[in-house]
Amino acid sequence: MPDHTHYLDTFENPQHDTDYTIRLHIPEFTCLCPLTGQPDFAEFLIEYVPDKLCMELKALKLYMSSFRNEGLFHEAITNRILSDFVALLKPRFMRITADFNVRGGIYTQVTAEHRQDGWQPATQVTLPGEL
Amino acid sequence: MPDHTHYLDTFENPQHDTDYTIRLHIPEFTCLCPLTGQPDFAEFLIEYVPDKLCMELKALKLYMSSFRNEGLFHEAITNRILSDFVALLKPRFMRITADFNVRGGIYTQVTAEHRQDGWQPATQVTLPGEL
Amino acid sequence: MPDHTHYLDTFENPQHDTDYTIRLHIPEFTCLCPLTGQPDFAEFLIEYVPDKLCMELKALKLYMSSFRNEGLFHEAITNRILSDFVALLKPRFMRITADFNVRGGIYTQVTAEHRQDGWQPATQVTLPGEL
Amino acid sequence: MPDHTHYLDTFENPQHDTDYTIRLHIPEFTCLCPLTGQPDFAEFLIEYVPDKLCMELKALKLYMSSFRNEGLFHEAITNRILSDFVALLKPRFMRITADFNVRGGIYTQVTAEHRQDGWQPATQVTLPGEL
Amino acid sequence: MPDHTHYLDTFENPQHDTDYTIRLHIPEFTCLCPLTGQPDFAEFLIEYVPDKLCMELKALKLYMSSFRNEGLFHEAITNRILSDFVALLKPRFMRITADFNVRGGIYTQVTAEHRQDGWQPATQVTLPGEL
Amino acid sequence: MPDHTHYLDTFENPQHDTDYTIRLHIPEFTCLCPLTGQPDFAEFLIEYVPDKLCMELKALKLYMSSFRNEGLFHEAITNRILSDFVALLKPRFMRITADFNVRGGIYTQVTAEHRQDGWQPATQVTLPGEL
Amino acid sequence: MPDHTHYLDTFENPQHDTDYTIRLHIPEFTCLCPLTGQPDFAEFLIEYVPDKLCMELKALKLYMSSFRNEGLFHEAITNRILSDFVALLKPRFMRITADFNVRGGIYTQVTAEHRQDGWQPATQVTLPGEL
Amino acid sequence: MPDHTHYLDTFENPQHDTDYTIRLHIPEFTCLCPLTGQPDFAEFLIEYVPDKLCMELKALKLYMSSFRNEGLFHEAITNRILSDFVALLKPRFMRITADFNVRGGIYTQVTAEHRQDGWQPATQVTLPGEL
Amino acid sequence: MPDHTHYLDTFENPQHDTDYTIRLHIPEFTCLCPLTGQPDFAEFLIEYVPDKLCMELKALKLYMSSFRNEGLFHEAITNRILSDFVALLKPRFMRITADFNVRGGIYTQVTAEHRQDGWQPATQVTLPGEL
Amino acid sequence: MPDHTHYLDTFENPQHDTDYTIRLHIPEFTCLCPLTGQPDFAEFLIEYVPDKLCMELKALKLYMSSFRNEGLFHEAITNRILSDFVALLKPRFMRITADFNVRGGIYTQVTAEHRQDGWQPATQVTLPGEL
C-alpha cells in the first residue's frame, strides 16, 4: 500500500495543558475491494485527545480521498489509518471507527484505538439526566 | 444438528499485536421452528476481538444461510453458532446477539459471549460528548 | 390475587454451564385498574440469565394474558410477576421492566430485579464503537 | 412560595423488603416566569427507590398542576419539588429531572437527587445486548 | 480575540448545599471561519454543577451572540468559552460540547471540561430500566 | 354480536353551519380472536365531519372498552363500529381505520368510510410547503 | 366565553399582490377542561394566505396565553379561535389545526378552515422528487 | 414455476355492499436468487378493496412461505403473486408492493395493481390536518 | 433594504428543452430581528424548474450569507429573495420556503412561489408504492 | 463526457401487457467535481414503468460505478443518465432523482423525467388509510 501521509498536516494544539476531546465525523469515504475491484463505501469517526498537535481538516480531507482508487481490506485499512494518525499527531488517546456499507448482506465495523504510554483518562463524570 | 462449520473460512489477522474490535451485522437470517416447521427470522450481531485469525465474510454468509431449512430453538442456535466461531477463530473475546422476530406477541433476544482464558479488556476510555 | 403460575412452563437450559442472557419483549399486556375497573395497558421486558431452566414462550403468553380481567396496581403486579418467575425458574439473574400507558397525564414504569445468592455477573466487556 | 404539599398523598410500598425502581414521566407542566409573568412549559421525570411509601398518582397530578399560576425559577422549582417529595416519601433514592422549553434560544434542564443516609445501590448488572 | 465576558451575568445558586446539574442547550451559534471569513454554525451544550453562582440566561444569550462576526477556530473557541465560564461561575464541574456543522465533508465536535480542585462527583446511581 | 351502542353518547355540534374535521386517535383497543380466544390488539383512528352531533369522549372510551372480551374478526368489527357511529351521529363524512397488531407475521389494517347522501367535500386547498 | 381579541394585533402585508402562505406553529397551549377544571394541553397550527393584513406574533402569543385559565371544549375553542382570526385579518384562506393531548386514552384533533368568498387557490404545482 | 395457489383460502366478505380497504403487511418473505441460488429477502404489502371474498390470513402465510426454496426474479414474482390473488379473490381493486433487500448496492421495489372492469374508486376525501 | 443581487450568478441550463426540477436546501441562514437586533435563524428551500439559466451555487452561498447583519421581517425577506431570484433566472416555476426558528414559542414558516406566464406543469405522474 | 452505455444491459419485461412500477434505489454514487476535482457523493432513485425491456441490475451497478473518476455537474449528469436509460429501455415512463451531498452548506437535488409519446398513467387509486 503506497504511503499517503504526505497529504496530512497539523497545527499546534491551542490548549495543550489539559485533556479535551476532538471528534471528526467523515461520512464520505470510498475505496475499492481488493478482490473484485468494485467500490466500497464507509463512514469514519476519529476521536482523539490531542497532545501537542491537532489534525488540520483540509489536509485530512485530501488524505481520506486519496484511498479512492486503492484496493483495501476493511481490517487493514482501519488499522493503517490509525497508525498514520498516531505517527503524525502522537495524541494522548485516539480511536478510529469505520462503518462499511453492506456487502453480501453483511455490515462490517472495525474499531481500533491507541493510547500514549502512561496516559490515563480522568475519572469520567457522568452527570445524571439526559438532554 | 448437522455440522455446518465446513462453510466457514478465515484469514490472518493483519494487526494481531493489539486488541481491536470487529462487528458484523447480519440482518438476514432464517431457519425453521423445530415444533411447527414454520419459518423464523432473526438478525445477528457478531462482535469480536480477533487473535490470530479473522472471519472470512463470503464464507460466513454461506454458513449463516446453511441453517435455512433446519429446525432450531432460539437459545440453542445462538450458543451453537458462538461455539462454532470460537472453535474456528479462537478469538480473544466474542459476543453473539440474535434478535428473533415476534412470535405469539413475544420478541426474543439471546446474547452469549466467550473470552479467552486470561484475556482482559483494556480499561474502557469513555470520552465525554456524543456525536 | 389468584394464582396464575399454573399457566407457566419451562424447558431445560441447553447451555447451563455458562452465563448468557435471554430477553423477552412483550408489547401486549392489559389488566384492569383496581380502583376504576377501567383497562390499563403496558409493555413488559423480561431479562434473565438462566440457570437450569428456561421460560417456555407459549406458556408465558398464556400467563401474561391471564391478568386481562384482574384489577392490579402497577407496583404490585410487577413485583408479583418477578416473584412468580423466580420461584419457577430459579434464574441466576432476572429483571422485569413494566411500562404502563399514560393515565392522568403520567406515565409509570416499574423495574424490579432478583439475583441468586452468591451469583456475580462477569466483568462487563464494553467494546468501543457502536453499530 | 406557598406550600403545595397538602396536594400530595402516599400509599404503602407493597414490596418494601427489596430495592426496586419507580419512574414517573409527566410531560405536562406549566408555571409562570417570575420575571415576565409569561407561561413556561416543562417535562418532569421522577425516579425513585421507595422505602415504606409510594407516591399516589392522582394526588401527584394535582400537586404538579398547582404550580400553574405561580412565578418560578427553573433551578429553584426543581430543587423545591425534590425537597417536598423527599420530606413526604423518605425514599431510599430519588432523582428529579426537569426539561424546560426553549426561551430566548436556550433549553434548560435541571437534575437533582437525594439519597438516604447509608443507602447504597446494588452493584448494577449490565447485561450485554440491547433490545 | 476581544474580551466578551462583560456580556455574562450570574445569580446566586438557590441550592448551594448539594450537588445538582444544570444543562443549557443552545442550538443557535454562529461565528466566522478565521481563514475564509465564511460563516460557521454550531450547537453548544453547557453542563455544570453550580457552586455559589448560576448562569443568567439572558446574559448568556448575548454573550453567545457576541461571537457572530469574529473569526474563530473550533478548538480555540470551545476552550475559550469554557475558560470564560469557569472564571465567572467557579463551578464544581463544567463541560462544554460544541458541534460544528459540516465543512468540506467533515463534522467537528470539541468537548472540554473543568473540575474544581478536590471536587468528586457522588457515586453515580444507575437505576435499571429506561423510560 | 351483542349491541354495544348504549355506551355511546353525543353532544350538539357547536359549529354545525360549516364543515370541519374531528380526529380521534385511540391507541388502546383489545378484543379476542374468534377462532383461538387469544387476545388481539389494535389502534383505531376515527375521522369525521360532524353534522348536528359530536361524539362524547368518555362514552366513546366505554364503548371501545366494551369489546374487550368478545371474539371479533378484523374486517367485521371495523365495519360494525363504523355502522354504529354513523347510526348515532349521522355525520357528513366518517372514516374508521383499524391497525391490528401482527399475528402469524402479518399486520392487518382495515379502513372503511361513509358519506352522507349528497355531501361533497370542499375543494381541498393544498398550501405549498410543509411545517 | 369572554372576548380575547383585544390581545391580537396586525401589520400590513408586505406582499399583498400575490398569494403566499404563512404557517405559525405554536407547541404551547393550555386551557382547562370545562367539566373537571383540570388542565388541558394542545399544539396549534395556523396556516393562512394573507390579504391586506398579517398576524403580529407577540400579540398572538398573548392571545394564545390568555385562554390559560378558561374552561374550553376542544371543538368550540378551535372554531372560536378561527373565527377571531378571520374577523381580524380577513385572510384569503385560513386553516387552524389543534392537537390536544391524550385524555382517557383518546387523542383529539380538530381542524377548521375558512376561505374568502370567491377566492380560489392557484393550481397546485407538485414537483416530482422529495428532499 | 410450480403452482402455489392451493395454499390460499378465502372467507366471505362481511360487508360486500360497500367499498372498503384491507391492507396486509408481511415483513417476512424469502426466496432464492434464480441466478446464484443465494437467499433473497423482501417485505410485501397487499392492499385491496374486496368484492365477494376476503383473504384468509393463515392460508396466506403458508402461501407466502411456500416460495422459500424457489428461484425467483423480482419483477416476475411480484406480478405472479398479484395474478394468483386476483384469480382467487376477484377483488374490486388490488395492489402488491414488494420491497427487496439490497443486492450489489441496489434496493429494488416492484409495485403492480389490478382493477375490476368498470370499477371506479369513490372520489377521495382528503380531510385537512394530519394526526 | 440594500441590494444583494450582485452576489448572485448563473450558468446556462444544460437541458433547457424539457422541464425538470432543481431543489436547493440551505440549512444555514441567519439575519437580525429588525425590532430587537437579536439574531434570527432559518432554513431555506429553493425549488425551481429552470428555463435558460441555472443558479450558480457558490454565488448563491455568498448571497444568502450577505443578509447576516441586516434586520429583516420573516414575510418580507422570503418574498424579497423570491423576487431577486425570479428577476435573475426567469425560471418556469420557482418556490421558496423559509422555516424560521422558534421565537416567543412560535415557529414561523413562509412559502411563496412564482410561475412564468403561460407555463403549465406536466400532469403529475404519481407512481403507486413508496420507497 | 465519454459514452458509458456499453455497461448497461436489459432483460425482457415478464409482464409487458400491463403497467407496473419498478423502483431502484442506489445509495452509493460518487463522481468528481468538474471544477475542483474533489469527490462528490449522491444517492440515485430510478423509477420506471417498463415497456418491452427491464434494466439488468448487475450491469446497472457497473454503469453507475463507471462515473467514479469523471468530473460532472449535478444538473448535467442527472439528465444524461436519464437520457442513456431512455435510449436503452424505451420505457413508458421514467423518473430519475439524484440527491447530492452538502457542498458549501447547500444540498442539491435534481429530478428529471420522461414519458413515451401518448402514454397516460392510469387514474391513480388512492386508498384511504396508511400502514
Side-chain angles (χ1 to χ4, degrees), chain B residues 94-108:
Chain B
M94 178 170 273
R95 182 187 295 140
I96 307 278
T97 305
D99 266 303
F100 290 87
N101 258 19
V102 61
R103 287 296 173 266
I106 303 179
Y107 295 79
T108 301

Side-chain angles (χ1 to χ4, degrees), chain H residues 45-47 93-97 111-113, chain I residues 128-129, chain J residues 124-125 127:
Chain H
L45 176 62
I46 304 165
E47 305 172 280
F93 176 82
M94 178 171 272
R95 181 187 295 140
I96 307 279
T97 305
T111 301
E113 66 187 41
Chain J
Q124 163 81 355
V125 176
L127 297 172

Side-chain angles (χ1 to χ4, degrees), chain G residues 43-62:
Chain G
E43 294 203 15
F44 273 77
L45 177 61
I46 304 165
E47 306 171 281
Y48 71 106
V49 178
D51 193 354
K52 302 226 179 73
L53 297 171
C54 290
M55 185 83 82
E56 206 282 320
L57 295 191
K58 224 167 193 169
L60 173 62
K61 188 188 171 181
L62 294 176

Side-chain angles (χ1 to χ4, degrees), chain B residues 28 30 39 68-69 101 103, chain H residues 28 30-31 68-69 101 103:
Chain B
E28 298 171 349
T30 182
R68 184 176 182 82
N69 292 316
N101 258 19
R103 287 296 173 266
Chain H
E28 300 171 347
T30 182
C31 59
R68 185 174 182 85
N69 291 317
N101 259 20
R103 288 294 173 267

Side-chain angles (χ1 to χ4, degrees), chain J residues 9-97:
Chain J
D9 199 2
T10 65
F11 63 93
E12 200 185 337
N13 178 1
Q15 185 75 15
H16 55 78
D17 51 336
T18 58
D19 278 9
Y20 70 99
T21 305
I22 298 171
R23 273 189 183 80
L24 306 168
H25 179 210
I26 307 174
E28 299 171 347
F29 177 87
T30 182
C31 59
L32 301 178
C33 171
L35 302 176
T36 65
Q38 285 302 300
D40 272 335
F41 290 80
E43 295 202 14
F44 272 76
L45 175 62
I46 304 165
E47 306 171 280
Y48 70 108
V49 178
D51 192 355
K52 301 229 179 71
L53 297 170
C54 290
M55 185 83 82
E56 207 281 318
L57 294 192
K58 223 166 193 170
L60 174 61
K61 187 187 171 181
L62 293 175
Y63 171 86
M64 296 303 285
S65 301
S66 70
F67 295 97
R68 185 173 182 83
N69 291 317
E70 272 188 46
L72 300 162
F73 287 102
H74 297 356
E75 291 82 0
I77 182 59
T78 310
N79 281 293
R80 158 71 178 279
I81 287 178
L82 174 64
S83 146
D84 279 0
F85 291 172
V86 163
L88 179 78
L89 298 177
K90 295 179 184 52
R92 295 175 192 166
F93 176 82
M94 177 170 273
R95 181 187 295 139
I96 307 279
T97 305

Side-chain angles (χ1 to χ4, degrees), chain C residues 28-32 38-39 41 61-62 65 68-69 101 103, chain F residues 28-32 38-39 41 61-62 65 68-69 101 103:
Chain C
E28 299 170 349
F29 177 87
T30 183
C31 59
L32 300 179
Q38 285 301 302
F41 289 81
K61 188 188 171 181
L62 292 176
S65 301
R68 185 174 181 82
N69 291 315
N101 258 20
R103 287 297 173 264
Chain F
E28 300 171 346
F29 178 88
T30 183
C31 59
L32 301 178
Q38 286 303 300
F41 289 81
K61 188 187 170 182
L62 293 175
S65 301
R68 186 173 181 84
N69 290 316
N101 258 20
R103 287 296 173 265

Side-chain angles (χ1 to χ4, degrees), chain A residues 11 13-15 20 54, chain E residues 1 71-83 100 110:
Chain A
F11 63 93
N13 178 0
Q15 184 77 14
Y20 69 99
C54 291
Chain E
M1 197 156 45
L72 302 161
F73 287 103
H74 297 357
E75 291 83 358
I77 182 60
T78 310
N79 281 294
R80 157 73 177 277
I81 286 177
L82 174 64
S83 147
F100 290 87
V110 183

Side-chain angles (χ1 to χ4, degrees), chain B residues 32-106:
Chain B
L32 300 178
C33 171
L35 301 176
T36 66
Q38 286 302 300
D40 272 335
F41 289 81
E43 295 203 15
F44 272 76
L45 177 61
I46 303 166
E47 305 171 281
Y48 71 107
V49 177
D51 192 355
K52 302 229 178 70
L53 297 171
C54 290
M55 184 83 81
E56 205 283 318
L57 294 192
K58 223 168 194 168
L60 173 61
K61 187 187 170 180
L62 292 176
Y63 171 86
M64 295 304 284
S65 301
S66 70
F67 295 97
R68 184 176 182 82
N69 292 316
E70 273 188 46
L72 300 163
F73 287 101
H74 297 357
E75 290 83 0
I77 181 61
T78 310
N79 281 295
R80 158 73 178 277
I81 287 178
L82 175 63
S83 146
D84 280 0
F85 290 173
V86 164
L88 178 78
L89 298 176
K90 295 180 185 50
R92 296 176 192 165
F93 176 81
M94 178 170 273
R95 182 187 295 140
I96 307 278
T97 305
D99 266 303
F100 290 87
N101 258 19
V102 61
R103 287 296 173 266
I106 303 179

